[in-house]
Amino acid sequence: MTQNTNIFGLMGRKASTATAFISFRGTTDLADWLQDLDVEPEPYTPLTGFGQVHAGFQDVYQVVRASIAANLPATLTGCTQILITGHSLGAAVAVLAAPDVFRGMPPNTIEPRLITFAGPKVGLPDFVTAFNTDIESCFRVVNFLDIVPLVPPAPYVHVGAQIDVDSRGPIDVVTRHSLTAYLAGLNALIAANP
């Protein structure tokens, strides 16, 4: 998925745990970077009165929204829970997808759980308040010295609860933001808390 820039996400289910999932990849090319930079706030379009969000991230979500809506009923067949996840830009898209999947797309019966990695801030306080009211299980994993979770600046704020990890190793923007670093940070956190 991360090697093919034409694929932005993956949907599926694990029958043994009755869990459906939606996963989004991070930024991979110039077009993605340009969307990351479109920081103008605009109304969250999937749900009326749900607050203001990052215009560029919402544009990306709108590209994949129809595909999610078309495939969600079949994906949820036999499932009792749904996990939405993503890394970097994919984390932002996961945040935008969650309330829409819960309230705007049939079957509208399962509240999604989110776990994101290296996610930027997605919305203004009005969106965050509405999001945190609707989506009660949202965890953002943030690696020490990764700068992406610090952007965009105020008035943007984060949703959910933050889990801090430290991958150690090289201190540079690319390394600290990589999925490899996040895996190392999670492994270190698990080892320290048996």
Side-chain angles (χ1 to χ4, degrees), residues 33-121:
W33 279 106
L34 293 175
Q35 292 299 336
D36 293 350
L37 297 174
D38 187 3
V39 299
E40 191 68 29
E42 66 182 18
Y44 179 64
T45 56
L47 301 173
T48 304
F50 213 78
Q52 300 274 313
V53 297
H54 185 286
F57 299 154
Q58 181 158 252
D59 288 346
V60 173
Y61 176 60
Q62 290 299 333
V63 169
V64 298
R65 183 177 187 267
S67 179
I68 294 168
N71 292 293
L72 189 63
T75 301
L76 287 174
T77 299
C79 292
T80 58
Q81 48 190 343
I82 182 167
L83 173 66
I84 303 178
T85 188
H87 171 257
S88 193
L89 173 59
V93 175
V95 167
L96 293 171
D100 191 21
V101 165
F102 184 40
R103 292 166 116 231
M105 294 181 188
N108 308 76
T109 56
I110 304 171
E111 180 183 328
R113 293 179 297 128
L114 265 75
I115 301 174
T116 64
F117 303 88
K121 301 170 193 169

Side-chain angles (χ1 to χ4, degrees), residues 8-23:
F8 199 80
L10 181 66
M11 292 177 72
R13 68 177 170 267
K14 184 174 182 179
S16 63
T17 62
T19 303
F21 66 87
I22 304 172
S23 177

Side-chain angles (χ1 to χ4, degrees), residues 123-176:
L124 299 187
D126 56 353
F127 173 80
V128 171
T129 298
F131 180 97
N132 289 341
T133 299
D134 267 16
I135 309 298
E136 297 174 339
S137 180
C138 176
F139 296 96
R140 298 177 297 101
V141 181
V142 176
N143 191 21
F144 181 61
L145 297 178
D146 182 359
I147 63 168
V148 172
L150 303 176
V151 296
Y156 287 92
V157 291
H158 279 296
V159 299
Q162 183 168 311
I163 297 173
D164 294 308
V165 298
D166 187 352
S167 63
R168 310 219 187 276
I171 300 174
D172 65 76
V173 174
V174 174
T175 300
R176 290 294 175 144

